[in-house]
Each structure stands twice: as C-alpha cells, then as structure tokens.
Amino acid sequence: MKMEDIAKLAGVSKSAVSLAFSGKPGIGPETRERILKIAQENGYLPKSRATITDPSTKSLTFLVFANSGIVLEQYYQQPFFRELIHYIEEQCRSGGYSLIFTSVEMESFEQEIKAVAEEKRSDGVILLGTNLNQAQIAAIAGLLTSPLVVLDTCFETLPIHFVEINNVMGAYQAGSHLCGIGHQNIGYIASNVRIHNFEDRKRGFTAALRENGLEIAEDHVFSVAPTILSSQEALKGQLGAYLDAGHPLPTAFFCECDYIAISAIKTLVELGYRVPEDVSVIGFDNISESVIVSPELTTIHVEKERMARLAVDLLIQSIESDEDVKTKITVDTQFIERLSSRSPVKEAVNPA
C-alpha cells in the first residue's frame, strides 16, 4: 500500500497524508487521527515515523494545547504563532534537529500528555505556554520524561526552563509614548480571555501612566475577543453605550495585542472616527498584518526570532548536558512608531 492509497481511503489529498505522518501543522487533529488510524489498520508504516526511531535522527517536539484561550485549533495560521514557528524550524535545522508538531486537546489533558511521553518521538519538547497556567505547566512537566522548555510565558517558582517576552516593558513603552506625546484621556482595550502575558501588559501600562500622574478610568476599560481581526459588534456596543452616556471618547487606546488593535481601528472607523486624527491606537506583538492595516499600526515589537533561537538552543543544551539548574530568559521589546498614533489635537467628539 502506498501513500496515495491512504489518501483515497481517508478522502484527503496526498499532501494531507504527508502532514499527518510528519506531525506538521496544516490539518486538523480529527483529520490527522483518521489518517493515522487508516494507515495503522492497513499495516502502512510511514517513513517519517520509521526514521524517528532511528537513533541517528535527532528531533524536537513543538507541543501545543489547542482550542484553549487564545490558541486556536489552527494556531499555525495565527500571525504571531506562525512567525514564531517559522523561526523555531529554522533554528532546529541549523542545530541538526528536525521538528515534530504535536497538537493536543485540553479536554483530554493528562491522557494526551502521557501519550506524548510514552511515544518518545523526540529528544526534547518545546511547550507553547501562551494559554497555560502555572498548575497546568507543572502537571505537564511532571508527566514528560524528556527535557522541556516552555515558550511565551514564565512562572518564576517552577523549576523549568522558560523563555518569555518582557510584557511589562513593552506595555510600559506604549504607555510612556502616549503620555510623552500629550495624551491624558487614555482608554484600554483588554482581551476577554485572560492569560499571564496580558496581566503583565496591564501592569506595565498602568505603571507608565502612574509615573505620569495618570490613571485609567474604570469606564475607559473595554473588553473584546483577542483573535478577531475584523470589527467587533461587542466593542461597538460598549463604545456606543459609553458615548451615549455623554462621555468624550478617549484620545488614545492601548490594546493588549495587535489583533485587538486592528479590530479596534476597524470598529472605530465604522463608528465614524478617524485614526489617528481623532483617536490614536497602539497594539502589541508587531505581527505582519500590522503594516497592512491602514493606517499602519504603532505597536510593540516582540523579538520572535530571538525567542525561538533561545528556546531551541536552551533545549538542545539540556539534551546534550546533565545540568539540573533551570534557566528563565526574558526578552526585551522594542517600541515601533507608525501611523496609528499622534499627539492629540483635541478631545474627540461623538460624530453622530
């Protein structure tokens, strides 16, 4: 039996079968499971799986808990994660390792992790920690037998390797910029899904405003979905109610991620406001879409390439040495000023 035969039986393309066998993203977990089951039932052994058992083949696993928090099932298509994965793959290749993708569901947390540990498909694991809390990461580390590095979050009290963004610094940079160019009536658009990174960003932004004698008014805080690039009715409703109460629109908004910022720009435009003439908007992450949206987005640049390189290098070092001491690395951010922010001319008024 050939790969083409498996594709016909599963009702998918040959490329989908190849993705299933290699463990790479590009197909959903249900499709992957169906393909692998058909292959097993028909006695087909994928070459990619056979080579994994070859002692001379070195590989790392990129482990993701999908459909939880802001990490969607097709996380590899989300701009931030897409860029991060690209750099991880590059660094793996340069280090002589292949990269295996494993996406598991949070609903079967313990069972899935045990399966990953028992398979021993790779020499070490890079865990995407964006959407995971401290207890979950501790449980995963306790079940895995391979060296582990957690990427994109950090919990200081866990004896685990972490590589994270300096979220506090990035949001502080955004707040300092807005205060520095004269904004005093500042709004905050938060994610309605709370994760470690967003809490740190809120802390950093608040600290910058306090240093400048400002506070975020309670009614200036809005909450939206963090994974939608189009305008959002939820934000439109919140802003509409705020304006109907007779309040002037803040002259600037800080958004906890670029997704929210781009969505906010589109929502504000639909409400009749101009960005940045009437209201400035700042995001966080510097995803590729931030230079496509109009106006181009002022944002916080996250060093995704550096984070990927540090995570891979730290994991390889753990695999090839017997050191027990763990390392926690925080990567600083850079402020990127583009066209979505400017000094306030006057407080924006309701165009209606």
Side-chain angles (χ1 to χ4, degrees):
M1 180 169 283
K2 299 180 181 179
M3 190 180 292
E4 292 88 344
D5 300 317
I6 299 297
K8 289 179 181 178
L9 289 171
V12 298
S13 65
K14 183 179 175 182
S15 61
V17 176
S18 177
L19 290 171
F21 291 160
S22 66
K24 291 186 176 181
I27 57 174
E30 291 182 1
T31 302
R32 188 187 308 278
E33 184 178 347
R34 185 173 77 254
I35 293 170
L36 295 177
K37 184 177 180 181
I38 290 172
Q40 184 179 17
E41 289 174 349
N42 288 273
Y44 181 83
L45 178 63
K47 290 182 179 179
S48 60
R49 288 220 163 182
T51 55
I52 290 172
T53 60
D54 184 346
S56 64
T57 300
K58 299 187 297 182
S59 62
L60 304 178
T61 292
F62 185 70
L63 178 60
V64 177
F65 282 84
N67 286 333
S68 172
I70 69 169
V71 182
L72 306 179
E73 179 179 338
Q74 295 182 321
Y75 65 91
Y76 43 83
Q77 294 179 0
Q78 292 178 251
F80 180 87
F81 302 127
R82 182 181 66 224
E83 294 174 40
L84 195 60
I85 289 168
H86 168 71
Y87 293 126
I88 291 172
E89 286 186 301
E90 282 191 343
Q91 190 63 21
C92 284
R93 281 195 295 271
S94 67
Y97 284 77
S98 61
L99 187 63
I100 301 168
F101 293 85
T102 299
S103 177
V104 297
E105 296 289 336
M106 190 66 76
E107 293 179 357
S108 49
F109 180 90
E110 188 170 338
Q111 180 183 351
E112 295 275 14
I113 290 299
K114 285 182 178 178
V116 171
E118 290 170 0
E119 280 184 8
K120 296 183 179 178
R121 295 178 61 193
S122 68
D123 301 280
V125 175
I126 295 176
L127 172 65
L128 184 65
T130 310
N131 57 330
L132 301 175
N133 61 37
Q134 182 168 344
Q136 290 166 336
I137 291 174
I140 293 167
L143 291 168
L144 290 176
T145 57
S146 303
L148 171 68
V149 172
V150 180
L151 184 60
D152 197 32
T153 193
C154 182
F155 294 98
E156 291 83 356
T157 57
L158 293 181
I160 299 170
H161 292 302
F162 285 96
V163 177
E164 69 161 348
I165 308 164
N166 193 338
N167 290 287
V168 174
M169 177 182 183
Y172 179 88
Q173 290 170 326
S176 297
H177 169 74
L178 289 176
C179 293
I181 60 175
H183 289 279
Q184 295 187 332
N185 183 17
I186 299 172
Y188 191 98
I189 306 182
S191 163
N192 60 12
V193 178
R194 304 312 297 165
I195 59 173
H196 179 82
N197 288 352
F198 293 156
E199 295 298 343
D200 278 355
R201 291 173 194 181
K202 186 175 183 180
R203 186 157 54 91
F205 189 76
T206 301
L209 265 59
R210 285 177 178 167
E211 284 189 10
N212 287 274
L214 300 175
E215 294 281 348
I216 303 174
E218 188 175 333
D219 61 359
H220 285 190
V221 179
F222 305 89
S223 179
V224 298
T227 55
I228 298 175
L229 284 170
S230 58
S231 65
Q232 297 192 45
E233 288 300 320
L235 180 57
K236 193 177 295 184
Q238 291 174 56
L239 289 172
Y242 172 84
L243 295 168
D244 288 343
H247 303 300
L249 187 75
T251 60
F253 283 107
F254 171 68
C255 304
E256 287 186 330
C257 67
D258 284 350
Y259 260 92
I260 293 175
I262 293 171
S263 177
I265 288 174
K266 294 180 178 180
T267 302
L268 287 163
V269 169
E270 288 184 6
L271 288 172
Y273 292 98
R274 300 168 300 164
V275 177
E277 292 85 355
D278 298 324
V279 54
S280 293
V281 176
I282 296 182
F284 197 117
D285 285 333
N286 196 27
I287 61 176
S288 56
E289 283 76 1
S290 63
V291 294
I292 298 174
V293 68
S294 180
E296 293 186 359
L297 184 64
T298 298
T299 187
I300 304 301
H301 176 68
V302 174
E303 295 286 345
K304 306 173 196 71
E305 183 175 6
R306 183 169 177 79
M307 288 175 64
R309 177 165 54 81
L310 289 167
V312 173
D313 288 350
L314 185 57
L315 184 56
I316 292 174
Q317 181 182 349
S318 298
I319 293 167
E320 298 177 354
S321 71
D322 296 326
E323 293 183 2
D324 290 330
V325 177
K326 307 305 178 184
T327 301
K328 290 167 178 58
I329 302 174
T330 301
V331 180
D332 285 351
T333 56
Q334 292 182 316
F335 179 77
I336 305 294
E337 184 175 4
R338 296 197 182 103
L339 301 177
S340 69
S341 64
R342 56 174 281 181
S343 298
V345 176
K346 60 181 180 178
E347 286 201 345
V349 296
N350 190 339

Tab-separated table of all heavy atoms in Angstrom, residues 152-171:
chain	number	residue	atom	x	y	z
A	152	ASP	N	6.964	31.491	25.734
A	152	ASP	CA	5.940	32.540	25.715
A	152	ASP	C	5.131	32.635	26.999
A	152	ASP	O	3.976	33.059	26.977
A	152	ASP	CB	5.004	32.391	24.506
A	152	ASP	CG	4.221	33.681	24.234
A	152	ASP	OD1	4.763	34.761	24.497
A	152	ASP	OD2	3.067	33.594	23.774
A	153	THR	N	5.705	32.272	28.101
A	153	THR	CA	5.161	32.573	29.422
A	153	THR	C	6.254	32.275	30.432
A	153	THR	O	7.310	31.742	30.057
A	153	THR	CB	3.885	31.761	29.733
A	153	THR	OG1	3.238	32.319	30.881
A	153	THR	CG2	4.200	30.300	30.004
A	154	CYS	N	6.015	32.591	31.700
A	154	CYS	CA	7.004	32.256	32.728
A	154	CYS	C	6.349	32.278	34.106
A	154	CYS	O	5.564	33.177	34.420
A	154	CYS	CB	8.169	33.255	32.709
A	154	CYS	SG	9.470	32.872	33.906
A	155	PHE	N	6.687	31.265	34.890
A	155	PHE	CA	6.276	31.207	36.293
A	155	PHE	C	7.538	30.971	37.113
A	155	PHE	O	8.155	29.904	37.039
A	155	PHE	CB	5.231	30.113	36.508
A	155	PHE	CG	3.933	30.389	35.804
A	155	PHE	CD1	3.660	29.816	34.575
A	155	PHE	CD2	3.011	31.274	36.351
A	155	PHE	CE1	2.478	30.097	33.900
A	155	PHE	CE2	1.830	31.564	35.689
A	155	PHE	CZ	1.563	30.978	34.462
A	156	GLU	N	7.901	31.998	37.862
A	156	GLU	CA	9.221	32.039	38.497
A	156	GLU	C	9.483	30.898	39.469
A	156	GLU	O	10.638	30.489	39.667
A	156	GLU	CB	9.403	33.381	39.224
A	156	GLU	CG	9.523	34.590	38.316
A	156	GLU	CD	8.171	35.117	37.863
A	156	GLU	OE1	7.140	34.498	38.199
A	156	GLU	OE2	8.146	36.157	37.162
A	157	THR	N	8.443	30.369	40.102
A	157	THR	CA	8.661	29.368	41.150
A	157	THR	C	8.735	27.936	40.620
A	157	THR	O	8.998	27.020	41.394
A	157	THR	CB	7.525	29.446	42.190
A	157	THR	OG1	6.261	29.254	41.539
A	157	THR	CG2	7.534	30.804	42.885
A	158	LEU	N	8.512	27.742	39.340
A	158	LEU	CA	8.602	26.387	38.778
A	158	LEU	C	10.026	26.085	38.325
A	158	LEU	O	10.640	26.896	37.629
A	158	LEU	CB	7.650	26.236	37.583
A	158	LEU	CG	6.148	26.290	37.873
A	158	LEU	CD1	5.366	26.112	36.582
A	158	LEU	CD2	5.749	25.223	38.889
A	159	PRO	N	10.567	24.916	38.686
A	159	PRO	CA	11.929	24.545	38.269
A	159	PRO	C	11.929	24.024	36.829
A	159	PRO	O	12.194	22.850	36.549
A	159	PRO	CB	12.297	23.447	39.270
A	159	PRO	CG	10.987	22.798	39.610
A	159	PRO	CD	9.966	23.901	39.581
A	160	ILE	N	11.639	24.913	35.907
A	160	ILE	CA	11.506	24.584	34.488
A	160	ILE	C	12.176	25.683	33.678
A	160	ILE	O	12.186	26.848	34.088
A	160	ILE	CB	10.006	24.491	34.108
A	160	ILE	CG1	9.311	23.389	34.897
A	160	ILE	CG2	9.818	24.247	32.603
A	160	ILE	CD1	7.789	23.399	34.743
A	161	HIS	N	12.711	25.332	32.506
A	161	HIS	CA	13.243	26.337	31.594
A	161	HIS	C	12.094	27.143	30.981
A	161	HIS	O	11.117	26.571	30.489
A	161	HIS	CB	14.029	25.675	30.455
A	161	HIS	CG	15.300	25.008	30.882
A	161	HIS	ND1	16.317	25.677	31.536
A	161	HIS	CD2	15.740	23.731	30.713
A	161	HIS	CE1	17.317	24.837	31.768
A	161	HIS	NE2	16.986	23.658	31.281
A	162	PHE	N	12.229	28.486	30.987
A	162	PHE	CA	11.229	29.355	30.364
A	162	PHE	C	11.919	30.379	29.466
A	162	PHE	O	13.000	30.879	29.809
A	162	PHE	CB	10.430	30.127	31.413
A	162	PHE	CG	9.397	29.321	32.158
A	162	PHE	CD1	9.690	28.763	33.392
A	162	PHE	CD2	8.126	29.135	31.629
A	162	PHE	CE1	8.739	28.034	34.090
A	162	PHE	CE2	7.167	28.408	32.316
A	162	PHE	CZ	7.468	27.847	33.550
A	163	VAL	N	11.283	30.708	28.355
A	163	VAL	CA	11.694	31.842	27.520
A	163	VAL	C	10.440	32.672	27.264
A	163	VAL	O	9.462	32.167	26.699
A	163	VAL	CB	12.305	31.387	26.176
A	163	VAL	CG1	12.643	32.607	25.324
A	163	VAL	CG2	13.549	30.537	26.406
A	164	GLU	N	10.450	33.928	27.701
A	164	GLU	CA	9.248	34.752	27.604
A	164	GLU	C	9.546	36.152	27.084
A	164	GLU	O	10.696	36.586	27.024
A	164	GLU	CB	8.580	34.867	28.975
A	164	GLU	CG	9.372	35.694	29.962
A	164	GLU	CD	8.547	36.197	31.139
A	164	GLU	OE1	7.306	36.096	31.093
A	164	GLU	OE2	9.159	36.702	32.099
A	165	ILE	N	8.477	36.850	26.720
A	165	ILE	CA	8.540	38.250	26.328
A	165	ILE	C	8.593	39.109	27.590
A	165	ILE	O	7.980	38.770	28.605
A	165	ILE	CB	7.258	38.649	25.550
A	165	ILE	CG1	6.994	37.696	24.396
A	165	ILE	CG2	7.313	40.091	25.082
A	165	ILE	CD1	5.565	37.798	23.857
A	166	ASN	N	9.270	40.248	27.503
A	166	ASN	CA	9.200	41.222	28.590
A	166	ASN	C	7.917	42.037	28.392
A	166	ASN	O	7.936	43.164	27.891
A	166	ASN	CB	10.431	42.128	28.597
A	166	ASN	CG	10.535	42.937	29.880
A	166	ASN	OD1	9.545	43.153	30.574
A	166	ASN	ND2	11.735	43.393	30.200
A	167	ASN	N	6.796	41.448	28.777
A	167	ASN	CA	5.492	42.065	28.560
A	167	ASN	C	5.332	43.368	29.338
A	167	ASN	O	4.718	44.321	28.846
A	167	ASN	CB	4.388	41.088	28.964
A	167	ASN	CG	4.276	39.918	28.022
A	167	ASN	OD1	3.805	40.044	26.900
A	167	ASN	ND2	4.721	38.746	28.472
A	168	VAL	N	5.859	43.391	30.545
A	168	VAL	CA	5.759	44.601	31.365
A	168	VAL	C	6.467	45.752	30.670
A	168	VAL	O	5.934	46.871	30.551
A	168	VAL	CB	6.343	44.361	32.768
A	168	VAL	CG1	6.375	45.667	33.557
A	168	VAL	CG2	5.542	43.309	33.519
A	169	MET	N	7.660	45.492	30.162
A	169	MET	CA	8.442	46.528	29.496
A	169	MET	C	7.726	47.044	28.251
A	169	MET	O	7.652	48.261	28.011
A	169	MET	CB	9.815	45.981	29.109
A	169	MET	CG	10.685	46.959	28.345
A	169	MET	SD	12.257	46.208	27.867
A	169	MET	CE	13.060	47.605	27.084
A	170	GLY	N	7.195	46.123	27.444
A	170	GLY	CA	6.545	46.530	26.200
A	170	GLY	C	5.364	47.451	26.434
A	170	GLY	O	5.220	48.498	25.789
A	171	ALA	N	4.498	47.077	27.367
A	171	ALA	CA	3.330	47.910	27.651
A	171	ALA	C	3.738	49.220	28.307
A	171	ALA	O	3.103	50.266	28.088
A	171	ALA	CB	2.358	47.140	28.535
